[in-house]
Amino acid sequence: MTPQIRAVKVFSLTTSIIGVTAQPMLYEQAAKMGSSTPVIVGLCGMVGFFTFVTPILIHFITKKYVTELHYDETTKEYIANTINFFLVKKQIKFTPDDVHVPDVTGAFTSFHVKDRITKKTVPLFVEPRLFEDPSHYVKIMGYDKPIDFKFDLSREDGDKAVKK
């Protein structure tokens, strides 16, 4: 899916650049046609909205998508590559201990990672097909750990309700 994401981002940025350069000409042509000021403002506002909002929306959705994932044997770290707003690769280094898999993941999110460089928590969306060795996916997602059904938590809540 990486080529498609890159292609959509390139297309979106290209059309936005074209939209920014075309706005003065569009405004001039609308003024020559004798359009009223509200029509000109509405037209330029609509073009401006799609020029600026579309790439931001696409980036908001795709910024979590991991395009490449590598494992460094010497440091025992994973290196996840994502694409930033201007189509530049961004590397995030982490270990399985830095991964937190929430009970309910957000939209386009597989897990959260504490980035070793920036020390920030970053949500990432990873396709299991990116892993050449499925054992790495199992390790990152915590499937090799015992399952906690959280029965103790529900029992405590029930005891509090009975005592009241």
Side-chain angles (χ1 to χ4, degrees), residues 75-112:
T75 61
K76 307 281 189 212
E77 285 184 329
Y78 292 94
I79 302 167
N81 291 330
T82 59
I83 301 173
N84 73 4
F85 186 77
F86 296 106
L87 301 169
V88 178
K89 282 186 183 179
K90 177 184 173 190
Q91 287 190 341
I92 301 168
K93 294 182 179 185
F94 64 94
T95 64
D97 296 333
D98 298 328
V99 175
H100 169 69
V101 181
D103 293 334
V104 179
T105 59
F108 305 109
T109 302
S110 300
F111 51 82
H112 297 261

